[in-house]
Amino acid sequence: MSKDLRIILSGGGTGGHIYPAIAIADEVKRRYPDAKIKFVGAQDKMEMEKVPQAGYEIEGLWISGLQRKLTLKNLMFPFKLMSSISKSRRIIKDFRPDVAVGTGGFASGPLLHVANKQEIPTLLQEQNSFPGITNKILAKRANIICAAYDEVKRFFPQEKVKKTGNPVRQDLLNIDIKREEAQKFFNLDAGKKTVLVLGGSLGARQVNQLIAEHADRLKAEDIQLIWQCGKLYYEEYKTYTEGTVQVHQFLNKMDLAYAAADVIISRAGAGSVSELCIVGKPVIFIPSPNVAEDHQTKNAMAVTKNNAAITMAETELDDKFENTFFDLLKNESKQKELGENIKKMALPNATSSIVDEIEKLIIRKA
């Protein structure tokens, strides 16, 4: 394959779209150190910060999603779209990519639309069990769609879909041997149960309120709690750090947090679900109801239907959480069953499989 390989990646708006794109870029660079890689994102979104931090160039488009009600932003959308398509044409003309890769989010729409028009091979990476509107539109002309869930075959041309899984952190592949290191890192007692609570980088209000309500019982039952409450809520909840409860704004050592946990409570973003399948621990998913097309509930249910996790809607927490959670903590056989079943759903080689598909597109084009 040519040494001057050129790949353009687009996706963003949330970490769920950005981090898979960075993982794909890293694997391309590992295989082809001389490859030229460029990212395209939305000019006011988090990818403009995260991608350069990962060591890659990025150009921003003046694009944003449609709101669900009539707003000034919606009235501006046609102008933003035309501007973004025009800039995408210039970027593609200047960069001359061999392949264009989209990982979802509105920024990938104009870029991959232009790539398709110019007959540049395109690959979509769909993280969720229910695809977003951008990937649904782009799928008609994409060459390959790399998916994490069988459920997406209902929405895409089946002959294009390859089940690869979602790219995940490679340091999660061997957490089984990190248990002792994790207990030392978090200053935990090896003889006590440990619960890990994950609300995402910004945090999740309902999850934090739930844990605050049960913090006294957790302490009373001597259960160790690693509580990642998020940036937005740290000031409010940091005072709960006492005894067996520790509150964190972020968890920089996610591999050790997973390794320390006996039971995990988590949101159900696509990346989190994919990671938790590899981790293989019993999980209670509390999906966020505030995401487009209720993606998180669909992601969680795709696991739960295989008896591989427990899913609870925010509206069920008052009635069901306490009994379900404390029963699970006491039920070793149920923990083992859920952990083993979720592990069966893991696709640990996702990033490598996606780059294999990119290589096939380049060979086919040549």
Side-chain angles (χ1 to χ4, degrees):
M1 199 173 290
S2 168
K3 280 190 175 180
D4 58 351
L5 184 63
R6 306 176 81 84
I7 294 185
I8 199 161
L9 297 108
S10 186
T14 66
H17 296 312
I18 297 162
Y19 296 120
I22 292 170
I24 292 165
D26 288 345
E27 176 64 11
V28 169
K29 270 291 191 186
R30 190 189 68 77
R31 296 188 193 189
Y32 305 100
D34 296 327
K36 302 286 188 291
I37 294 175
K38 182 185 280 287
F39 281 74
V40 175
Q43 64 185 24
D44 58 346
K45 295 294 186 180
M46 64 188 285
E47 56 264 31
M48 302 308 291
E49 176 189 345
K50 299 297 181 187
V51 169
Q53 284 174 359
Y56 297 104
E57 288 179 26
I58 185 167
E59 290 203 48
L61 303 178
W62 186 43
I63 190 74
S64 61
L66 284 164
Q67 308 298 306
R68 292 183 185 182
K69 53 184 184 289
L70 187 64
T71 64
L72 181 60
K73 281 188 175 181
N74 277 359
L75 295 175
M76 294 297 290
F77 182 78
F79 302 101
K80 290 183 176 185
L81 184 61
M82 287 187 287
S83 163
S84 297
I85 287 173
S86 176
K87 188 169 183 182
S88 293
R89 284 196 195 104
R90 179 187 62 72
I91 291 169
I92 283 176
K93 183 182 175 186
D94 292 346
F95 189 68
R96 306 184 318 280
D98 295 296
V99 174
V101 177
T103 59
F106 289 100
S108 64
L111 186 92
L112 268 78
H113 169 76
V114 172
N116 283 328
K117 287 277 190 188
Q118 297 188 13
E119 298 190 343
I120 293 162
T122 60
L123 179 144
L124 300 182
Q125 199 263 322
E126 176 53 62
Q127 297 98 32
N128 292 290
S129 60
F130 189 92
I133 189 167
T134 306
N135 276 359
K136 279 184 185 174
I137 293 166
L138 293 171
K140 296 178 182 73
R141 298 195 63 178
N143 296 85
I144 295 289
I145 302 161
C146 291
Y149 296 95
D150 292 317
E151 283 82 354
V152 300
K153 289 179 180 175
R154 294 186 292 131
F155 305 98
F156 296 141
Q158 292 208 13
E159 69 279 4
K160 295 182 180 183
V161 177
K162 306 283 183 185
K163 188 179 177 185
T164 56
N166 286 324
V168 297
R169 310 161 211 251
Q170 294 306 291
D171 60 4
L172 302 184
L173 300 180
N174 60 347
I175 66 153
D176 292 347
I177 62 170
K178 297 182 179 180
R179 178 89 168 172
E180 197 174 321
E181 180 189 353
Q183 287 166 339
K184 283 180 185 170
F185 182 83
F186 287 104
N187 196 26
L188 300 170
D189 183 334
K192 296 177 183 177
K193 286 281 186 194
T194 300
V195 174
L196 171 65
V197 176
L198 303 171
S201 56
L202 296 178
R205 177 175 292 283
Q206 288 288 109
V207 174
N208 286 331
Q209 289 174 344
L210 176 77
I211 300 306
E213 286 168 17
H214 293 92
D216 287 343
R217 182 170 172 187
L218 287 163
K219 287 177 190 172
E221 298 200 14
D222 225 14
I223 293 159
Q224 298 171 133
L225 180 65
I226 302 171
W227 177 4
Q228 185 260 316
C229 68
K231 182 180 180 180
L232 296 179
Y233 302 101
Y234 184 65
E235 290 303 313
E236 185 178 350
Y237 290 104
K238 65 182 182 182
T239 54
Y240 282 82
T241 295
E242 182 192 6
T244 56
V245 174
Q246 47 182 287
V247 183
H248 300 266
Q249 182 172 336
F250 299 113
L251 290 169
N252 292 322
K253 289 279 192 181
M254 279 306 303
D255 58 327
L256 297 185
Y258 285 135
D262 295 295
V263 172
I264 299 168
I265 297 169
S266 177
R267 285 302 206 195
S272 297
V273 174
S274 294
E275 287 189 355
L276 289 163
C277 288
I278 286 168
V279 166
K281 299 281 179 86
V283 182
I284 296 175
F285 286 120
I286 304 173
S288 170
N290 309 313
V291 294
E293 293 156 324
D294 203 18
H295 281 150
Q296 290 206 5
T297 297
K298 295 177 176 79
N299 293 342
M301 293 311 297
V303 180
T304 298
K305 73 177 188 183
N306 292 313
N307 190 28
I310 295 167
T311 296
M312 267 187 251
E314 286 189 352
T315 53
E316 299 177 307
L317 295 175
D318 288 345
D319 294 333
K320 289 187 178 178
F321 177 78
E322 187 163 7
N323 285 342
T324 304
F325 171 65
F326 286 100
D327 286 352
L328 178 62
L329 269 180
K330 291 168 187 163
N331 190 336
E332 298 278 351
S333 64
K334 183 66 173 176
Q335 290 174 35
K336 187 170 184 285
E337 180 183 30
L338 291 176
E340 287 175 353
N341 287 346
I342 199 169
K343 189 108 178 169
K344 288 174 190 169
M345 298 182 71
L347 293 163
N349 301 314
T351 313
S352 181
S353 299
I354 292 164
V355 177
D356 288 347
E357 295 299 330
I358 292 172
E359 287 181 337
K360 288 174 192 173
L361 285 179
I362 295 166
I363 291 165
R364 203 183 304 168
K365 181 189 175 192

